[in-house]
């Protein structure tokens, strides 16, 4: 892996994994969540991460976000602070929906009026206009997930200032899992629009293969226990989406059943 | 018979407690009544038991004074206007002492909760301080500061600071770890994480600590007042109780205890209860579950 | 710094003229009658002139000592036991004995069923405070009767002692006036020992006046004014005993809200002697008694405790006999 | 230069505190050392400051005794073996008092937290009780029970019960409402819901309450011992401190305070700290965040 | 609605809604979550509930479970205590995975050995064999959801004893939303097997129309704000699953866009 420095590309990748491993605990009870993962996200690339439940997708995202540290290998992070949509909504219970969306802006020191406007705009985007003053416990599961999405978007938009010319990065952990098909459609469209407009790189975890194929430029499949990169598909240039979907599904089935065996 | 959930389910009794009281137009009075009547009822019951015990002459008068005798002591304070001074002297001291304690205890608690070295080094000492009775400090405080307010505040600080700091620490320890992680991911630095995530998240536990801290500072103040008596210090509730003790006037002792108690309950009902209700309600944690 | 070793409190200060304020400690007790009369009749203020008198009430010796050592009090009427402790525990630095106030006035009162010292075996005897004048006296007396360890000695606040005695929790108590009288008259106690019978001429210091060393050095005028006020109070008490009783009772009522019964105050007054003589000669004995009583490991050093110069100045100015320091005034 | 998260990120300092200490084979000794050394270090620093203050003769000896003098007082207790009695008398009383308090406080806390009427009626009274200083109860307790252990336990109960009950209530109030709902859906009746859901869910907050309750009972005990002295009661730490005060012996007072403090810290470190760590760790709440 | 008593069928429905309404809060800030809902679940029936995010599905389930009370109308519940899979996993954080599954059995007084065996069996069923001693915070999102599922199944199986002949009822709120396609397939199959074997009625909330059509006998579509039953499809006897799926999708789209308008 010493060769990385020589082959440094002109534009730096937002994130690059070098044989990254992550083990939880020690001794007999330890769990190897990730093992020897090599992964690179190009600037502005939309990468979808697929894998069985419990294979290490969330762990991988946490490593990128700097919320956890690899027990082996090395992560090269070259983006501004990544924005994260967590798997659980994890809203702050003492803040309203709008307050939650404003939180990253507040911490970045954005003035109040601007914050307000931005939060309203983002809530509108996730189809929650007018519900800004609700508390998390007054929202439905899907609504909470959408607030969390809006919050993550708020945290990317603010980071343009301080990050300078570094590429930005958005990490999303099953952000649409609790949404009905129609809302999901709309938000997928919005996400693509934002992606194209901002040129941010996105690392997107999902269980829905069709969603992965629809959204991503590249689909990465992780194996289970330990999580390893098994296969990758370039789905943007694929001529037949349905065929790729089937192919990925088959691969996924193989990965999971090989583990179960 | 079909089980009608709304009316007849087994848990209806329990559930009735869950259901938030509907706040219709005219119910303001009733809501306040529902809040004020039960403690008054409890007090009435207590006094009735007391009166009965007294009437039964179960204990001699010098052990258990008549409620009426205690009441007349208090009434005398009220009519003479002395009660205003008693309250003022004690309450303003307690409030000042509590405020200073807050200023010291919050940074201390944050340091203990966030820095492992401080937690391991200072944490046990702070808890140890908490287990020192205030009375133990009074003589030393008088020796160091003289018979004045500084000595009293010193005793109050030593009582309240460890309690508030510990309350804050235990509040912080119970914050779901996902929240600070989210905060970090949203760009919270060290200070922002404390200001915007940890402190508000720990608020319910911290409020409990504050309540305990208030209790400690009020207790410590009373202990200090009980022991340090001097005309320069003005006469507070503690001194009043002290006089009752030195006169072995049991009805005065009871009057003193009742007054100290009234302030305790009053502050609880007027300050901490509403604060706590607001905080808990805003996060969907009900006080009555 | 500590390395110097000399007692800087004693060395540093010199006369600074009359003080602006004199903070005086006392107990609302009959044994502090001189203080109560002086306060009640305004006799202290008369002599102090421009110096403001701030009287402060205490209930126990150690607290008053604490206030003195903490600098919150300039002078105080106090029992001889705590006075010795204050001097000894501050390595002879902090306070000086400048006058007496009361002699006598302490009795061992017991339940009527107890008629001789041996009857106390297995019983509970109360004194007001560990190491106070009566506590030392009792323990010394017990040691003399070979009763140490056979009698339970407990410390209890005087007011509580009365209740506990009434209740039967307590069988005997060595108390100062007016409490011994209250136990006799209100609770039916009998006198087993009058402490006066244990001392030569029946004289022993119950209450004395001590002052902070620094204050004494800085404001000798003020101290003398205080002493002349004290003498005036003592004179008044012996001249108008009935009125003095009334004044004392009035002061007690003011200080504590309750007056004593006339019978109690009469009996109490009979047992005390109000005098400015600290009976300095007894102090070495009192110090030794602390060891006998098991309060101290070795007798506290009392040499240098007394400074009776100001008192004798005032006495001789008034044409009265001076008192004897009995060697207590030099180390 | 690429930002290496593992080595050079801005938050690395903060993160280092987050990372659980890896427990490799030989690290047991080091782990215990990491736990024991910081408080010892803190104590050493404190004593050093004390010694420096004393050496500077900032205050006269009778205000601030030499550390050596205090140490010799304690050492004397150790060599004479008296210290064992002091500890035994006080600690066993405190433990018994605390145990009785627990038995009373837990049902009381449950009733307050679960029944609106009780909460409104008794809740403020319990909080009010908490703000009454223990010393205020001592004279009354002696009057009622006589000079014996019952009076002392009464004072301890009045100090500890409200504190433990309040701790439990505030722990229960902070239970996420989803958990009792889930419990109900899983078939928890009233009792099962308390036993299997509410109590364990409130445990972290409750432990905080227990710690405060212990502090209260220890303080109350010391206050009671300070005031109620009698050979029948045996000599505890409070009485030892009391004797020091009576004799105006500042080094004895300090020795007493130090010993009371040592017990406070000891119980905290030996009992509550491990308990709390176990409970928090089991739910993924870290003590050091 | 007085006619209900007259037309009482031979076999009682586990649950029947009579013009049920649910409003949160009062005054201007009130939210009408459900309005005039009439719904009946037949004994042993598998009903799927569809609707936009925030339309009131969770609220409806809570009403059935007796965790909340209608503000209008009447719910006739005639089953043993319904078992519930909540939208959030809501595991007890102080218990291990196995402990969570055992919890309903413990509360029902099942002896320890039996409890152990049952929990192990159920964890195996949800493909979590061997992970029984993990704490909730050590599990991935999908694993937590599966533990919650196993727990709910444990709570149905125990209720056979005390409920006598009353029909049983299982309420499931998006139980498979966090699972990968393959695990979901397997668990759908298991669910159907259990349903057939026990004859329990199931009220199943999902966002995945194809899942609803695959699993359910009947699909109920709720509208948004207020939640009302808009349309129902009998999908068991439907000749062409794909056609029904399309039809439902269209209806769903219409409901959501009509609200948005
Ligand atoms: N804090 C932890 N302690 C111990 N083990 C953990 C911890 N966090 C995760 N694991 C384990 O690591 C593995 C990967 O978990 P992760 O959350 O990354 O899975 P995932 O791919 O996100 O799954 P899902 O799709 O279900 O969310 C799992 O086996 C899990 O049990
Ligand atoms: N406790 C509450 N207080 C106030 N409003 C509430 C409360 N619970 C739910 N609501 C509101 O009721 C409506 C229905 O919520 P519900 O959770 O039933 O939706 P849902 O259909 O389950 O949605 P999702 O698919 O997103 O989970 C929402 O508008 C929500 O904001
Ligand atoms: Mg995950
Ligand atoms: Mg829902």
């Amino acid at each position: 892996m010493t060769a990385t420095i020589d082959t440094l590309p002109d534009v730096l990748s937002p994130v690059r994994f070098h044989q990254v491993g992550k083990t939880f605990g020690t001794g007999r009870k330890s769990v190897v969540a990730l093992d020897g993962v090599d992964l690179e996200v190009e600037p502005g690339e939309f990468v979808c991460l697929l894998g069985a439940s419990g294979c290490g997708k969330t762990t991988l995202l946490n490593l990128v976000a700097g919320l956890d540290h690899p027990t082996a290998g090395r992560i090269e992070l070259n983006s501004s602070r990544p924005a994260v949509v967590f798997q659980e909504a994890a809203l702050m219970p003492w803040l309203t929906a709008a307050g939650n969306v404003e939180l990253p802006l507040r911490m970045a020191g954005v003035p109040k009026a601007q914050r307000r406007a931005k939060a309203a705009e983002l809530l509108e985007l996730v189809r929650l206009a007018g519900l800004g003053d609700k508390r998390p416990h007054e929202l439905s599961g899907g609504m909470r997930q959408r607030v969390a999405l809006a919050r993550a978007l708020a945290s990317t938009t603010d980071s343009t200032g301080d990050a300078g010319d570094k590429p930005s990065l958005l990490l999303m952990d099953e952000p649409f899992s609790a949404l009905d098909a129609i809302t999901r459609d709309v938000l997928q469209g919005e996400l693509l629009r934002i992606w194209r407009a901002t040129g941010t790189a996105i690392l997107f975890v999902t269980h829905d293969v069709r969603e992965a194929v629809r959204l991503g430029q590249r689909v990465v499949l992780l194996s289970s226990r330990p999580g390893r990169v098994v296969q990758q598909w370039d789905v943007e240039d694929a001529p037949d989406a349905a065929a790729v979907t089937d192919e990925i599904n088959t691969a996924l089935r193989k990965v999971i059943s090989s583990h179960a065996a | 018979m079909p089980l009608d959930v709304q009316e007849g389910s087994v848990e209806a009794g329990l559930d009735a407690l869950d259901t938030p009281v509907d706040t219709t137009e005219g119910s303001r009075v009733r809501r306040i009544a529902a809040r004020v009547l039960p403690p008054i009822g409890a007090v009435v019951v207590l006094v009735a038991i007391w009166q009965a015990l007294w009437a039964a002459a179960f204990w001699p008068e010098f052990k258990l004074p008549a409620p009426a005798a205690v009441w007349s002591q208090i009434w005398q304070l009220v009519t003479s206007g002395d009660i205003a001074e008693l309250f003022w002297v004690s309450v303003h001291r307690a409030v000042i002492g509590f405020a200073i304690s807050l200023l010291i205890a919050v940074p201390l608690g944050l340091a203990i909760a966030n820095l492992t070295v401080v937690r391991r080094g200072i944490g046990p000492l702070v808890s140890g301080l908490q287990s020192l009775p205030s009375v133990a400090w009074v003589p030393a405080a008088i020796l160091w500061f003289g018979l004045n307010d500084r000595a009293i505040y010193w005793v109050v600080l030593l009582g309240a600071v460890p309690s508030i700091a510990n309350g804050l620490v235990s509040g912080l320890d119970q914050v779901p770890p996902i929240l600070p992680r989210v905060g970090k991911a949203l760009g919270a630095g060290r200070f922002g994480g404390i200001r915007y995530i940890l402190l508000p998240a720990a608020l319910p536990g911290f409020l409990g600590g504050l309540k305990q801290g208030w209790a400690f500072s009020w207790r410590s103040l009373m202990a200090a007042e009980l022991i340090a008596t001097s005309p320069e210090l003005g006469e507070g509730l503690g001194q009043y109780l002290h006089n009752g003790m030195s006169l072995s006037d049991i009805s005065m002792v009871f009057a003193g205890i009742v007054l100290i108690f009234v302030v305790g309950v009053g502050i609880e009902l007027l300050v901490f209860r509403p604060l706590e209700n607001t905080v808990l309600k805003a996060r969907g944690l009900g006080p009555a579950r | 710094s500590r390395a110097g070793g000399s007692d800087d409190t004693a060395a540093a200060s010199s006369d600074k003229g009359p003080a602006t304020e004199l903070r005086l400690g006392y107990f609302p007790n009959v044994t502090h009658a001189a203080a109560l009369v002086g306060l009640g009749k305004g006799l202290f203020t008369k002599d102090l002139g421009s110096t403001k008198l701030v009287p402060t009430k205490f209930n126990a010796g150690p607290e008053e000592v604490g206030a003195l050592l903490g600098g919150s009090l300039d002078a105080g009427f106090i029992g001889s036991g705590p006075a010795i402790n204050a001097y000894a525990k501050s390595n002879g630095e902090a306070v000086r004995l400048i006058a007496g106030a009361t002699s006598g006035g302490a009795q061992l009162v017991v339940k009527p069923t107890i008629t001789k010292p041996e009857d106390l075996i297995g019983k509970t005897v109360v004194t007001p405070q560990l190491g106070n004048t009566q506590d030392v006296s009792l323990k010394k007396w017990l040691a003399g009767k070979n009763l140490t360890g056979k009698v339970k000695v407990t410390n209890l606040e005087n007011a509580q002692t009365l209740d506990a005695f009434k209740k039967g929790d307590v069988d005997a108590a060595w108390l100062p006036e007016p409490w011994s009288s209250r136990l006799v008259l209100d609770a039916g106690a009998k006198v087993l020992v009058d402490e006066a019978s244990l001392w030569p001429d029946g004289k022993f210091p119950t209450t004395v006046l001590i002052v902070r060393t620094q204050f004494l050095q800085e404001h000798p005028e003020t101290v003398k004014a205080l002493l002349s006020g004290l003498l005036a109070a003592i004179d008044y008490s012996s001249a108008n005993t009935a009125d003095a009783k009334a004044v004392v009772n009035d002061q007690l009522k003011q200080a504590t809200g309750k007056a004593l019964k006339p019978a109690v105050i009469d009996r109490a007054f009979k047992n005390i002697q109000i005098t400015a003589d600290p009976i300095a000669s007894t102090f070495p004995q009192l110090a030794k008694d602390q060891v006998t009583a098991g309060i101290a490991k070795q007798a506290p050093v009392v040499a240098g405790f007394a400074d009776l110069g100001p008192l004798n100045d005032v006495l001789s100015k008034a044409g009265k006999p001076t008192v004897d320091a009995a060697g207590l005034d030099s180390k």
Side-chain angles (χ1 to χ4, degrees), chain A residues 22-25 29 31-34 51-62 68 87 173-174 205-207 222 225:
Chain A
K22 173 72 188 177
T23 308
F24 290 104
K29 292 191 71 180
V31 175
V32 181
L34 293 176
S53 168
C55 72
K57 304 178 293 295
T58 300
T59 306
L60 194 148
L61 253 50
N62 281 341
D68 224 333
Q87 191 167 5
D173 202 350
E174 308 185 27
V205 172
T206 180
H207 283 308
L222 285 186
R225 286 206 234 146

Side-chain angles (χ1 to χ4, degrees), chain A residues 131 134 137-144 146 178-180:
Chain A
L131 294 178
K134 289 264 181 276
H137 70 272
E138 296 171 330
L139 297 174
S140 80
M143 290 167 158
R144 283 200 280 261
R146 283 180 277 160
L179 301 181
D180 60 278

Side-chain angles (χ1 to χ4, degrees), chain A residues 44-144:
Chain A
E45 196 185 13
F46 199 133
V47 177
C48 288
L49 213 55
L50 276 176
S53 168
C55 72
K57 304 178 293 295
T58 300
T59 306
L60 194 148
L61 253 50
N62 281 341
L63 292 179
V64 178
L67 298 173
D68 224 333
H69 300 288
T71 46
R74 205 160 65 81
I75 298 170
E76 216 175 90
L77 190 69
N78 189 46
S79 78
S80 58
R81 180 178 44 66
V84 191
V85 184
F86 290 86
Q87 191 167 5
E88 316 95 285
L91 302 179
M92 307 294 158
W94 60 93
L95 295 174
T96 59
N100 268 287
V101 178
E102 281 182 35
L103 185 61
L105 303 172
R106 233 163 106 196
M107 293 196 292
V110 176
K112 193 164 184 177
Q114 215 171 316
R115 240 156 56 197
R116 282 264 167 83
K118 186 82 207 170
E121 181 190 312
L122 285 168
L123 283 173
E124 168 107 49
L125 180 82
V126 296
R127 303 168 62 91
L128 286 175
L131 294 178
D133 60 345
K134 289 264 181 276
R135 301 268 170 185
H137 70 272
E138 296 171 330
L139 297 174
S140 80
M143 290 167 158
R144 283 200 280 261

Side-chain angles (χ1 to χ4, degrees), chain B residues 6-7 23 60-62 70 109 139 146 184 232 234 270 285 288:
Chain B
Q6 201 175 5
E7 277 164 44
T23 50
E61 182 96 26
F62 70 86
V70 173
K184 222 165 119 183
E232 278 170 81
L270 295 178
L285 303 168

